[in-house]
């Protein structure tokens, strides 16, 4: 008997006393492992996550959490040969394993990088601008994101045992949530191996990650209002989860990413002599055969102009004929088996349903020969292409979760959009065209029905990642049939796990709460210029108030001559006098910013290493010759970089004229040494 998979629960590895259900190699039918969660205390797992894992993660800042993810991804990358070897048993070719394993590690790296670039080195995130709620500015509002004291449960599908776990784990960890992972049983042995190596590394705090190998049992009964469930799988199971009392009445957040009837649409401008023709054919065949079509983003519906439907069907069939199907251990194999014999039977049933209104034009779903391997033991199936008949219904309702796609034709762009919409909501659609007008019409028509749309042509093809590849920086999810959920999307996924709250308070209180200086709160004018301070001594609120400087007409003329900016409002008195906004010659906005820098900069070498940008620049009141300006520069936010000897300091710059009216406001971004 093979090894019984273990769960990692409440700080220890747990093996069920039951014999467990067998998990078979998809290509050979040999037993790989057994699985059971009998006797596992699921309530204790949830409690451990909330009381041990969550507090340990939330002691860290966003940047500290992100650096641990980088360390983890680096560690796992060094072990990937071991994961690739076991991945063969899932039916994955080397290309398939790269999508799952390297794709998972890449997602973790991406979240580490984006979190350090886009989130503060803190535990709270400010969302949007300040809102002035009173007449004088003494009462302000600010939206903030904070971590929830709950647990992120993930229930994953069998097709991506590594990526499916890591793409959920990474944003949840950055958000301050521990993860409880329940992989699909069929390929859980690969997930278990990766989790085992993560736990052995001791990179993540204890309780950050737990593994449930086997049935989820009464897990949802132990979840509450601060907890969430992210589910990837069938619409049927999603429907059951949606009816669970903890979701209906207990406040548990349910995120669903379900399989969908994704489409690819060929533009009417494309002919067989165009590069886009081959791109379309290659895209369809790739999505039919990668992971043996067992992808929630695979192309199920091929929507093409009626005039070229026959020719396109022949082109796709010809390319499919070159695909070798069989045991992925054989290097000649381009497509591996389905995950199990049972999965193959499900796909065959779906093909039979499709044949009610479509005809098979390539492949034999019932074939038991022609494969590199034994089809009685391995779940091999040839790619199947169908051609929909007029008025076909089933291709818009039935999803064969395997190497199957259906060609259907349209006579107008409106009809193409209508056909796509009949899928009732999809994760991804693609449009292949070189005509910008066609692209705009199709994308705007498809967008309400899709979570992501790829527009592919000869220009972006060399860098395109393809129709079916979710990217960590772009949202993954879709409306309607696709589940209505949303994952990934960069920092959006982190914030999705957090609670957004509107805070109403005085400016000083908002500064104390957010760690970011708030307009109207106290400034500390230091005896020593703030540029003399390193991060070790610099404080939020530290301010320099400059002396005033008069801007003369000679200053304006010189700036115009020196820069070449001779716009009439700065150089032509008569024309400028006719301008209803100025009524005469005014100083250049960038002259004001430049002179403001001259007023607040301390020129000697010191802790300030560089200015790397200006944000949110606004010119508010025109400055005329003879007006004076003065600047207040205040430390707004300090973000140490954990991986460098310096950090980022954001300064609030307020330039006023002689009457105290605001002339310009902006944020100055600098790099400042941690120590003097």
């Amino acid at each position: 008997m093979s090894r019984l998979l273990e769960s990692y629960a409440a700080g220890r590895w747990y093996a069920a006393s039951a014999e467990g259900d067998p998990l078979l190699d998809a290509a050979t039918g040999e037993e790989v492992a057994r699985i059971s969660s009998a006797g596992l205390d699921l309530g204790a797992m949830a409690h451990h996550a909330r009381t041990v894992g969550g507090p340990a993660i939330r002691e860290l800042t966003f940047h500290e959490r992100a650096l641990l993810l980088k360390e983890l991804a680096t560690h796992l990358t060094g072990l990937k040969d071991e994961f690739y070897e076991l991945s063969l048993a899932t039916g994955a070719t080397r290309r398939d394993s790269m999508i799952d394993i390297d794709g998972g590690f890449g997602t973790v790296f991406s979240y580490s990088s984006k979190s350090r670039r886009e989130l503060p080195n803190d535990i709270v995130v400010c969302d949007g601008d300040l809102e002035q709620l009173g007449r004088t500015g003494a009462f302000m509002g600010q939206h903030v994101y904070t971590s929830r004291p709950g647990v992120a449960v993930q229930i994953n599908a069998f097709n991506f045992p590594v990526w499916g776990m890591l793409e959920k784990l990474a944003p949840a960890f950055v958000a301050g949530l521990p993860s409880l992972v329940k992989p699909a049983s069929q390929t859980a042995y690969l997930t278990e191996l990766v989790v085992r190596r993560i736990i052995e590394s001791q990179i993540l705090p204890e309780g950050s990650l737990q593994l449930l190998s086997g049935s989820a049992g009464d897990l949802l009964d132990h979840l509450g209002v601060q907890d969430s469930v992210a589910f990837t799988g069938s619409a049927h199971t999603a429907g059951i989860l949606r009816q669970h009392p903890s979701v209906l009445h207990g406040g548990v957040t349910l995120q669903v990413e379900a399989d969908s009837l994704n489409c690819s649409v060929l533009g009417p401008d494309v002919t067989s002599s165009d590069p886009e023709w081959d791109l379309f054919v290659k895209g369809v065949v790739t999505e039919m055969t990668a992971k043996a079509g067992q992808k929630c983003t695979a192309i199920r519906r091929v929507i093409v102009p009626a005039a070229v439907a026959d020719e396109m069907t022949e082109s796709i069939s010809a390319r499919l004929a070159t695909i070798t199907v069989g045991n992925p251990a054989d290097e000649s194999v381009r497509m591996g088996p389905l995950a199990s014999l049972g999965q193959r039977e499900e796909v065959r049933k779906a093909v039979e349903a499709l044949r009610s209104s479509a005809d098979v034009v390539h492949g034999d779903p019932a074939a038991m020969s022609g494969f590199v391997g034994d089809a009685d033991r391995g779940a091999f199936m040839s790619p199947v292409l169908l051609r929909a008949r007029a008025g076909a219904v089933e291709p818009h309702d039935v999803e064969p979760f395997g190497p199957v796609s259906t060609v259907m034709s349209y006579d107008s762009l409106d009809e193409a959009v209508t056909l796509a919409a009949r899928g009732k909501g999809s994760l991804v659609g693609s449009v292949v065209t070189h005509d910008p007008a066609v692209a705009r019409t199709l994308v705007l028509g498809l967008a309400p029905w899709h979570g992501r749309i790829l527009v592919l042509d000869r220009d972006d093809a060399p860098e395109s990642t393809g129709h079916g590849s979710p990217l960590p920086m772009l949202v993954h999810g879709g409306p309607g049939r696709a589940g209505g959920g949303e994952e990934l999307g960069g920092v959006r996924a982190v914030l999705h796990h957090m609670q957004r709250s509107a805070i109403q308070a005085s400016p000083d209180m908002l500064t104390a709460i957010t760690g970011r200086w708030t307009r109207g709160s106290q400034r500390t004018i230091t005896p020593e210029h703030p540029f003399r301070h390193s991060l070790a001594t610099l404080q939020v609120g530290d301010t320099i108030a400059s002396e005033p400087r008069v801007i003369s007409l000679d200053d304006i003329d010189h700036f115009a001559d020196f820069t070449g900016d001779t716009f009439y409002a700065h150089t032509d008195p008569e024309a400028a006098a006719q301008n209803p906004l100025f009524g005469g010659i005014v100083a250049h906005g960038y002259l004001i910013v430049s002179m403001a820098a001259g007023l607040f900069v301390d020129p000697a070498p010191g802790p300030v290493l560089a200015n790397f940008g200006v944000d949110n620049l606004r010119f508010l009141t025109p400055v005329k010759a003879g007006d004076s300006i003065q600047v207040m520069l205040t430390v707004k936010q300090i973000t140490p970089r954990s991986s460098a000897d310096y950090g980022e300091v954001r300064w609030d710059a307020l330039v006023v004229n002689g009457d105290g009216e605001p002339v310009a406001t902006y944020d100055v971004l600098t790099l400042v040494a941690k120590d003097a």
Side-chain angles (χ1 to χ4, degrees):
M1 184 182 297
S2 59
R3 185 176 70 87
L4 181 68
L5 298 184
E6 295 182 323
S7 297
Y8 187 71
R12 67 185 182 91
W13 287 99
Y14 171 85
S17 57
E19 182 178 283
D21 298 322
L23 305 177
L24 306 182
D25 186 304
T28 67
E30 296 175 357
E31 189 171 300
V32 179
R34 287 180 170 263
I35 190 167
S36 174
S37 61
L40 186 59
D41 189 339
L42 302 180
M45 292 180 74
H47 180 74
H48 186 72
R50 294 191 199 98
T51 59
V52 177
I57 301 171
R58 291 189 290 274
E59 285 183 359
L60 307 172
T61 67
F62 296 117
H63 287 205
E64 290 169 335
R65 298 168 199 169
L67 283 173
L68 289 182
L69 289 181
K70 179 182 179 181
E71 183 181 356
L72 178 64
T74 301
H75 176 73
L76 292 176
T77 298
L79 303 173
K80 70 177 183 180
D81 288 346
E82 179 183 21
F83 305 142
Y84 267 71
E85 184 65 27
L86 187 57
S87 181
L88 286 171
T90 72
T93 64
R94 187 162 186 84
R95 181 187 66 170
D96 296 337
S97 293
M98 182 180 67
I99 297 169
D100 184 30
I101 297 170
D102 294 87
F105 301 162
T107 297
V108 178
F109 275 124
S110 178
Y111 268 92
S112 173
S113 176
K114 289 187 74 66
S115 296
R116 285 177 285 139
R117 288 200 312 268
E118 300 177 26
L119 295 174
N121 196 1
D122 203 334
I123 59 173
V124 61
V125 182
C126 292
D127 175 47
D129 296 329
L130 278 169
E131 298 289 347
Q132 184 168 321
L133 306 177
R135 182 173 56 84
T136 66
F139 186 45
M140 307 289 284
Q142 174 70 62
H143 290 91
V144 301
Y145 283 100
T146 56
S147 296
R148 293 182 169 125
V151 55
V153 173
Q154 47 171 280
I155 303 174
N156 294 325
F158 66 81
N159 51 344
F160 289 103
V162 180
W163 176 86
M165 171 183 66
L166 295 178
E167 64 95 6
K168 295 180 177 69
L169 171 67
F173 185 80
V174 175
L177 282 173
S179 291
L180 199 164
V181 178
K182 193 277 177 213
S185 293
Q186 180 57 41
T187 55
Y189 45 84
L190 182 53
T191 308
E192 191 233 35
L193 177 61
V194 176
V195 171
R196 191 173 291 276
R197 297 297 178 255
I198 293 174
I199 299 303
E200 289 172 352
S201 74
Q202 298 184 340
I203 292 171
L204 303 184
E206 171 54 40
S208 303
L209 172 62
Q210 296 181 86
L211 175 69
L212 167 55
S213 296
S215 170
D218 64 352
L219 176 60
L220 267 66
D221 294 341
H222 301 285
L223 303 183
V225 68
Q226 290 292 335
D227 304 320
S228 62
V229 176
F231 170 76
T232 299
S234 71
H236 174 74
T237 304
I240 294 173
L241 292 174
R242 286 191 172 103
Q243 296 304 312
H244 193 281
S246 293
V247 175
L248 284 176
H249 310 298
V252 172
T253 301
L254 177 63
Q255 157 94 15
V256 172
E257 188 258 284
D259 306 325
S260 61
L261 292 164
N262 311 293
C263 68
S264 187
V265 183
L266 182 70
D269 57 297
V270 180
T271 67
S272 58
S273 61
D274 292 324
E276 286 74 23
W277 184 276
D278 290 336
L279 292 173
F280 188 85
V281 173
K282 182 180 178 181
V284 171
V285 172
T286 295
E287 293 306 318
M288 289 180 66
T289 58
K291 298 288 286 187
Q294 298 168 116
K295 294 170 57 181
C296 54
T297 54
I299 296 170
R300 309 298 181 195
R301 298 178 298 154
V302 181
I303 303 175
V304 300
V308 298
D310 290 342
E311 190 178 7
M312 177 54 71
T313 301
E314 292 172 1
S315 292
I316 296 172
S317 297
R319 192 174 183 95
L320 286 172
T322 68
I323 302 298
T324 303
V325 180
N327 189 329
D330 188 305
E331 293 184 357
S332 69
V333 167
R334 296 271 305 281
M335 188 184 96
L338 295 165
S340 67
L341 295 175
Q343 180 63 24
R344 183 176 68 183
E345 187 59 29
E346 288 298 316
V347 176
R348 286 174 171 173
K349 289 178 181 178
V351 172
E352 283 305 305
L354 291 173
R355 293 175 82 165
S356 298
S357 57
D359 300 308
V360 173
V361 292
H362 177 84
D364 178 3
M368 294 295 289
S369 61
F371 307 116
V372 181
D374 183 354
D376 288 321
R377 296 177 59 82
F380 306 121
M381 179 176 175
S382 68
V384 175
L385 185 68
L386 298 98
R387 178 77 179 271
R389 298 192 287 271
V393 173
E394 284 77 10
H396 306 293
D397 292 331
V398 176
E399 184 188 16
F401 201 67
V404 181
S405 195
T406 303
V407 178
M408 54 195 70
S409 62
Y410 69 87
D411 291 314
S412 68
L413 292 182
D414 285 345
E415 185 181 3
V417 170
T418 298
L419 288 171
R422 288 181 64 184
K424 303 179 184 68
S426 301
L427 296 172
V428 57
S430 54
V431 173
V432 181
T433 178
H434 196 52
D435 185 327
V438 169
R440 176 179 170 85
T441 298
L442 288 175
V443 168
L444 295 185
L446 266 59
W449 301 94
H450 293 79
R452 176 170 61 87
I453 298 175
L454 166 68
V455 181
L456 186 65
D457 69 356
R458 68 196 71 176
D459 295 334
D460 65 353
E463 296 184 3
S464 173
T465 52
H467 168 103
S469 298
L471 299 175
M473 62 287 295
L474 300 180
V475 295
H476 177 54
R481 182 187 179 113
E486 187 176 287
E487 298 176 340
L488 299 177
V491 171
R492 294 175 187 86
V494 176
L495 301 179
H496 176 79
H497 282 290
M498 304 179 75
Q499 177 61 46
R500 182 166 57 184
S501 304
I503 310 300
Q504 300 166 272
S506 68
D508 284 331
M509 285 297 186
L510 285 177
T511 295
I513 292 165
T514 64
R516 186 174 74 172
W517 186 82
T518 302
R519 185 177 68 246
S521 63
Q522 182 177 351
R523 303 176 193 260
T524 303
I525 299 179
T526 58
E528 187 177 25
H529 195 293
F531 278 25
R532 298 291 97 207
H533 289 270
S534 68
L535 295 190
T537 56
L538 199 63
Q539 299 290 321
V540 169
D542 285 354
T543 300
I544 174 176
S546 79
E547 296 297 323
R549 172 171 176 169
V550 174
I551 294 183
S552 66
L553 185 59
D554 286 343
D555 292 328
I556 299 172
D557 290 341
H558 173 72
F559 192 83
D561 291 339
F562 182 71
T563 64
D565 181 356
T566 56
F567 184 64
Y568 77 88
H570 313 307
T571 56
D572 186 336
E574 292 185 8
Q578 301 302 312
N579 187 311
L581 298 178
F582 302 141
I585 294 290
V586 294
H588 307 69
Y590 295 109
L591 169 60
I592 295 167
V593 172
S594 299
M595 287 191 167
L599 292 173
F600 68 66
V601 165
D602 183 17
V608 176
L609 305 176
N611 177 336
F612 70 94
V614 171
D615 278 352
N616 308 316
L617 174 61
R618 295 293 183 273
F619 299 117
L620 304 174
T621 304
V623 174
K624 297 186 176 182
D627 286 349
S628 65
I629 63 169
Q630 187 176 9
V631 62
M632 297 275 281
L633 188 73
T634 302
V635 177
K636 184 174 185 177
Q637 188 172 32
I638 301 173
T639 305
R641 289 186 177 178
S642 301
S643 58
D645 294 330
Y646 55 84
E648 300 170 13
V649 177
R650 180 179 290 267
W651 307 75
D652 178 87
L654 172 63
V655 183
V656 298
N657 61 20
D659 296 327
E661 298 173 315
V663 168
T665 61
Y666 50 99
D667 289 352
V668 178
L669 311 178
T670 62
L671 300 177
V672 179
K674 289 181 177 178
D675 297 302

